[in-house]
Amino acid sequence: MREFTDEQLIAKFQSGDELAFIELVNRYKDRLINFVYGFVKNYSDAEDIVQDTFLKVYKNKHAYREIAKFSTWLYTIAGNLARSQLRKIKRRKTFTMSQLSYDDNEFDPKDMSRSHTEVLDDSYVAQEIRKAIQELSEPFKTIVILRDIQELSYEDMSKILEIPIGTVKSRVNRARLKLQSLLKHLKE
Amino acid sequence: MNCEIVQEEFSSFIDNELSVEGKNKMSAHLETCSQCETLFKNLKETLHVMHSLPSLKTSDDFVAKLLTTAHSNQNKRSSFSFLNNDIFKYSGYGIAAGLVLALGFTQLMVPKIERPNITAHNKIHSEVPLVAEMSDSLENTLNDTALNNQLSTQSSQELLLVNQK
Ligand SMILES: [Zn+2]
């Protein structure tokens, strides 16, 4: 199975080969959890979303046509699921904010700023960077995660985001400068 | 070269996307402008840390769990689609069978609905884009209003999806 491209594997899966599906899952599951975690910042939510992403691929395998890269399709599904999860989290937050004082809210077990330290052995700087990524607006967050966490090429980003490479480049730069400005305190 | 233009090119410089001429101009500016030089140095350090952030792994039983769910969904769907008598053996399914009749089973052929008020067709469409029309993609995250547009254009998208089926 290893010698096949992603596109060959999904084609095999479309004609009923489940081993091809498993190979695709193994290729992408860890990359996707890092991608999704960047948005939802909670390990178990992120893992659920990655599960859902592959379940959708499994159920809707015929929605894929070979005119796009498989990875582009997969990231799009995962990104859409992460977005709708984020909306739910935001709604939940609005609800609790109206009921609790700010301090109480800080001890909400769902407080996301704490959860990553349980999962990741980050240095202080790394933790501050992860926090700053969360503070970015959603567009910049997407850009930074794709480019600097997932380390996708400008070309792949251009396909996933459906924007010209030139636009990707300028957004990457703006997003990084914004991130850097949020990290000023590290240098003071 | 002024500082603003220089800073716009930082990422291209870091990612090695500048022409030789561009690189030379950049280096020359950084040597004479301490403000840009500091910002550039800090940005590079941040990116270095980001590129070596410890990465997450899915749990060990990820694949097994996934396949179990996928297969059980598949079995559920096939028993509903054939409406075979087996489902009546399970008492809890009596209500489900009633729902099948009440809703018509196309409603049950589609995945569980997580968002209220949005039909399952729309959900499939918005989260599993047909490759031929992936305009509803991550690009939407770059535009907050796109989320709302997405909701308002869903009925037309549903038509599109039905046509392609
Ligand atoms: Zn300067």
Side-chain angles (χ1 to χ4, degrees):
Chain A
M1 282 290 166
R2 297 204 170 209
E3 67 275 21
F4 294 110
T5 64
D6 295 347
E7 289 70 29
Q8 287 169 325
L9 287 171
I10 183 75
K12 280 162 124 356
F13 179 48
Q14 285 172 332
S15 42
D17 183 347
E18 192 160 299
L19 286 177
F21 173 74
I22 295 170
E23 172 66 18
L24 285 169
V25 172
N26 282 322
R27 276 185 198 180
Y28 283 98
K29 61 186 172 66
D30 292 338
R31 274 185 263 183
L32 282 185
I33 199 166
N34 285 285
F35 173 59
V36 172
Y37 183 83
F39 291 95
V40 300
K41 231 169 162 233
N42 170 298
Y43 182 82
S44 80
D45 283 355
E47 192 167 73
D48 287 349
I49 289 171
V50 180
Q51 283 271 337
D52 284 351
T53 303
F54 285 120
L55 285 173
K56 286 186 187 299
V57 170
Y58 193 92
K59 275 184 224 158
N60 304 285
K61 60 184 177 208
H62 294 294
Y64 174 78
R65 312 278 151 76
E66 221 196 314
I67 51 172
K69 271 172 80 175
F70 173 76
S71 58
T72 307
W73 187 58
L74 191 67
Y75 273 105
T76 307
I77 297 171
N80 285 341
L81 286 172
R83 267 196 298 148
S84 48
Q85 177 68 18
L86 265 188
R87 277 186 300 220
K88 273 186 227 160
I89 291 169
K90 274 180 197 157
R91 251 181 264 147
R92 203 157 60 199
K93 266 197 160 172
T94 320
F95 181 70
T96 52
M97 287 290 270
S98 64
Q99 310 230 321
L100 303 166
S101 75
Y102 182 73
D103 283 338
D104 285 344
N105 200 44
E106 278 207 310
F107 295 97
D108 183 343
K110 291 223 159 57
D111 178 15
M112 293 183 297
S113 62
R114 223 182 311 282
S115 53
H116 64 84
T117 47
E118 295 158 14
V119 183
L120 294 165
D121 185 22
D122 276 355
S123 67
Y124 171 71
V125 174
Q127 283 186 40
E128 290 302 300
I129 290 176
R130 284 189 202 272
K131 258 191 241 168
I133 294 173
Q134 290 316 301
E135 285 169 35
L136 291 173
S137 67
E138 215 178 291
F140 280 170
K141 197 190 291 177
T142 305
I143 289 276
V144 161
I145 290 170
L146 289 176
R147 177 67 200 168
D148 292 317
I149 305 287
Q150 296 282 293
E151 300 189 51
L152 294 188
S153 67
Y154 283 121
E155 197 191 339
D156 283 346
M157 287 175 69
S158 156
K159 284 181 191 145
I160 291 173
L161 300 169
E162 294 179 330
I163 50 178
I165 290 197
T167 313
V168 174
K169 283 185 189 170
S170 64
R171 284 187 188 168
V172 164
N173 195 60
R174 276 191 284 145
R176 284 173 173 173
L177 288 178
K178 179 70 195 168
L179 182 74
Q180 192 56 48
S181 75
L182 295 172
L183 291 166
K184 261 187 194 152
H185 63 281
L186 290 180
K187 301 287 167 190
E188 279 159 7
Chain B
M1 259 176 127
N2 73 36
C3 296
E4 206 178 313
I5 295 173
V6 166
Q7 292 175 10
E8 273 170 20
E9 299 286 335
F10 272 178
S11 288
S12 300
F13 189 46
I14 290 169
D15 295 332
N16 210 7
E17 300 266 337
L18 283 188
S19 64
V20 178
E21 198 202 347
K23 279 184 208 167
N24 290 340
K25 277 188 182 168
M26 177 70 77
S27 308
H29 182 89
L30 293 180
E31 271 171 37
T32 55
C33 175
S34 65
Q35 203 197 341
C36 285
E37 203 236 332
T38 307
L39 180 59
F40 183 73
K41 207 183 99 223
N42 292 344
L43 182 60
K44 262 179 79 172
E45 277 170 16
T46 300
L47 293 177
H48 179 76
V49 177
M50 283 172 81
H51 294 162
S52 54
L53 283 179
S55 62
L56 296 167
K57 291 206 176 322
T58 51
S59 31
D60 293 341
D61 62 349
F62 183 88
V63 178
K65 204 175 130 199
L66 175 67
L67 292 175
T68 309
T69 317
H71 294 158
S72 81
N73 286 349
Q74 208 172 32
N75 291 339
K76 245 185 256 166
R77 286 199 296 170
S78 60
S79 44
F80 281 130
S81 60
F82 296 118
L83 273 182
N84 64 30
N85 289 331
D86 285 356
I87 64 170
F88 295 105
K89 288 178 189 162
Y90 305 98
S91 57
Y93 282 18
I95 297 161
L99 279 173
V100 169
L101 297 174
L103 299 174
F105 65 60
T106 46
Q107 292 286 327
L108 287 164
M109 292 290 290
V110 293
K112 196 178 75 188
I113 303 170
E114 289 156 22
R115 276 183 285 168
N117 305 327
I118 294 170
T119 71
H121 281 313
N122 287 334
K123 186 175 171 57
I124 292 176
H125 181 77
S126 61
E127 283 165 358
V128 186
L130 290 167
V131 166
E133 27 137 1
M134 282 208 299
S135 56
D136 176 34
S137 71
L138 268 185
E139 167 64 0
N140 281 351
T141 62
L142 296 174
N143 180 355
D144 280 344
T145 60
L147 290 178
N148 302 324
N149 294 343
Q150 189 194 337
L151 295 174
S152 62
T153 55
Q154 266 171 345
S155 49
S156 58
Q157 285 174 344
E158 184 174 3
L159 284 174
L160 266 173
L161 183 73
V162 171
N163 287 341
Q164 299 218 15
K165 268 190 176 170

